[in-house]
Amino acid sequence: MRGRGPLVVLLTGALVGGGCYAATGAWPRLTPGVAVVAGVAAGAPAPVAVPVQSRSLICPDVSGAPGRTSTRLAVTGPAAAGGGTVLAAPTGRPAGPALLRLVGAQALARTDVAVPAGAVAVTAAGPVASTVAAVTVSRTAGGPGQGLAEARCGSPARDYWFVGGATGPGEAALLRLVNPDAVPATADVALLSPAGPVDVRAGRGIAVAPRGTLTIPLDTLAPNSPLLATHVRVRAGRLAAALLDRRRLAATPLGVDYVPTGAGPSRRLLVGGVPAGTGARALSVAVPGPDPATVRVEVLTDHGSYVPAGAESMSVRAGSVAGLDLTRALRGAPAGVRLTSDVPIVAGVVAFASGADGAGDLAWVGAGPPLPGAVVVPDVRRSTVISSSLSLTAPQAAATVRLDPVLPAVERGAAGRSVTVTVPAGRSLTVGLDGLRTGSGALGVRVTPLPGSGPVYGTRELLETSARGVLVSLLGLLADPGTVPATAVLDDPAVGSAAAGTYSSS
């Protein structure tokens, strides 16, 4: 093959999200005469998206007990022509017995964890990795910690924003950092309060041991703060982060839930999928930068979109967080909250539910992106005391989505039906999920925006009403990317042996 130039291998970002997942088999084998070049050259083939073939999701806390608290881990991966394997095991004991196993064509698996397990890694291999999703829901059935606390299991990241939580009397905010790897990790934790940035020297250079979990009570860094915004920046290694918000008044439970990871600072944000309900609704907005913010507030309900009287805008000092009561503005309707600011901000909304005895629960909604494509919710429940629903927001054009049930393949005779839903432009609505299957067995749901649909945001709500009070949790409709860019290969005779380094044409 004399006179033929070497092949040029263009690296187009086959590792995404800090190396959390990779497209196995996408890398070409280097041979003599092959040059590795960073960047994209003129005339190079366009990158091709290939399905993710391996993925590890971290669940921050999968702990159960025989007493008041029980935790369910739910995993689904419905893509899967060709199947694959999904395993769940404690991060501290990766070689230990699996808590959950999903193999081949099985689409949905759930397990109730009966013993403390701590953080758990859900590892998927094969085609199923492109669509695997996992959540944990902890239920405490009595006492001051009563409530539902739900966390999405996600890929480790390098930057997290949490807008929510408090450290006043009866309030606890617990930051959990999980290191899934066999090497140490280091992070900085910065906090904003209504009084301004919190001087947290103790939050700098926090070390998390290999395969370890570190829980930081935020009242040790920012005591007596009625509102918080927390920024976690990973300096070395990989970490998964989660923030638990727990509140009570004396012995009366007021709620517990995880604060979702929110979008990073931006001048335009949308908090979509705020559920319907008569409990209080409150917006929190934080300004990370050096300049104050003037924030315009617009709500999008099932009645239409409007600027709420008395809550048209808010002013937030630089480096601080402020709250705005939206209870009267939303009037119990499902909603999205659109924010426009003159400087970058971060934001979230808390929804409260309460029973006749004053005991209640809370759930958080974070600002985030619209559905990137099909999104799977692994845990949908229906019984005489608990219901599941979606809250969807279409801020621009009308959005049309298809809801497909995801059923366990091992359940003989299970039947479900798909439903198509249209959300009018500039509105929000609630969609019940009880009709997606017959009977009351296990169920997941795949939410797919259809061609021509406008952007759509949403959450799935679990709502339980019983003699013990009202319990509620929310899960944002988010997903890790199911594809990564493949390596592009270009046969370029103009590239000589110098570009190939130690490789040369023969």
Side-chain angles (χ1 to χ4, degrees):
M1 297 289 292
R2 294 186 182 277
R4 185 175 177 84
L7 293 176
V8 178
V9 180
L10 302 177
L11 305 185
T12 58
L15 291 180
V16 181
C20 302
Y21 34 82
T24 303
W27 292 98
R29 181 180 173 183
L30 289 180
T31 56
V34 174
V36 179
V37 180
V40 178
V48 177
V50 297
V52 171
Q53 291 291 307
S54 64
R55 171 175 284 151
S56 181
L57 306 177
I58 304 301
C59 310
D61 188 24
V62 182
S63 299
R68 290 176 171 172
T69 299
S70 62
T71 296
R72 171 172 291 178
L73 169 65
V75 176
T76 185
T85 302
V86 181
L87 297 176
T91 57
R93 305 191 308 276
L99 297 173
L100 178 148
R101 184 185 300 268
L102 187 155
V103 180
Q106 186 181 359
L108 175 69
R110 299 197 295 194
T111 182
D112 292 323
V113 181
V115 295
V120 164
V122 175
T123 304
V128 72
S130 65
T131 57
V132 67
V135 299
T136 66
V137 182
S138 295
R139 179 182 183 273
T140 302
Q146 175 176 292
L148 291 177
E150 183 166 13
R152 172 179 171 268
C153 307
S155 299
R158 301 193 64 85
D159 197 83
Y160 295 89
W161 276 101
F162 302 99
V163 183
T167 58
E171 299 168 334
L174 305 175
L175 178 65
R176 290 196 172 103
L177 303 177
V178 181
N179 180 359
D181 298 324
V183 296
T186 307
D188 293 333
V189 177
L191 299 173
L192 304 179
S193 74
V198 179
D199 185 9
V200 284
R201 293 182 178 88
R204 300 170 190 164
I206 294 175
V208 184
R211 302 198 190 283
T213 299
L214 182 64
T215 299
I216 305 171
L218 293 188
D219 61 352
T220 63
L221 302 178
N224 297 314
S225 179
L227 294 173
L228 283 175
T230 304
H231 184 204
V232 179
R233 185 173 62 87
V234 181
R235 290 168 42 185
R238 299 192 310 157
L239 288 172
L243 179 62
L244 185 69
D245 181 20
R246 186 169 58 210
R247 308 187 188 195
R248 62 182 175 85
L249 178 62
T252 302
L254 300 180
V256 59
D257 208 355
Y258 283 94
V259 178
T261 303
S266 176
R267 289 182 171 87
R268 296 180 63 86
L269 292 175
L270 186 89
V271 184
V274 179
T278 58
R281 304 289 188 263
L283 169 69
S284 294
V285 174
V287 180
D291 299 314
T294 299
V295 184
R296 182 179 184 271
V297 180
E298 183 182 8
V299 298
L300 300 84
T301 73
D302 54 358
H303 307 303
S305 58
Y306 53 90
V307 175
E312 303 91 346
S313 65
M314 56 190 304
S315 298
V316 188
R317 292 188 300 137
S320 73
V321 58
L324 180 66
D325 188 351
L326 292 178
T327 309
R328 293 183 62 185
L330 300 185
R331 296 176 288 186
V337 181
R338 181 156 46 200
L339 304 173
T340 306
S341 173
D342 54 352
V343 300
I345 57 173
V346 290
V349 170
V350 64
F352 290 91
S354 60
D357 59 355
D361 205 354
L362 62 83
W364 282 93
V365 188
L371 273 65
V375 172
V376 178
V377 178
D379 197 0
V380 174
R381 309 185 192 185
R382 53 174 294 189
S383 70
T384 56
V385 297
I386 194 165
S387 63
S388 301
S389 62
L390 295 180
S391 297
L392 302 174
T393 300
Q396 300 172 19
T400 302
V401 299
R402 189 181 68 245
L403 311 181
D404 296 306
V406 180
L407 305 174
V410 295
E411 187 176 326
R412 302 294 182 182
R417 68 184 186 95
S418 299
V419 175
T420 298
V421 177
T422 297
V423 187
R427 298 197 178 191
S428 300
L429 57 77
T430 299
V431 182
L433 300 177
D434 288 349
L436 290 181
R437 68 153 294 160
T438 59
S440 58
L443 174 67
V445 60
R446 184 193 300 113
V447 184
T448 306
L450 297 182
S453 171
V456 59
Y457 301 68
T459 59
R460 191 275 286 114
E461 180 186 43
L462 295 179
L463 182 64
E464 179 178 342
T465 304
S466 67
R468 297 183 183 273
V470 177
L471 307 182
V472 64
S473 72
L474 294 173
L475 182 72
L477 300 185
L478 302 172
D480 289 314
T483 61
V484 292
T487 306
V489 179
L490 175 64
D491 189 354
D492 188 352
V495 178
S497 60
T502 57
Y503 296 92
S504 62
S505 53
S506 56

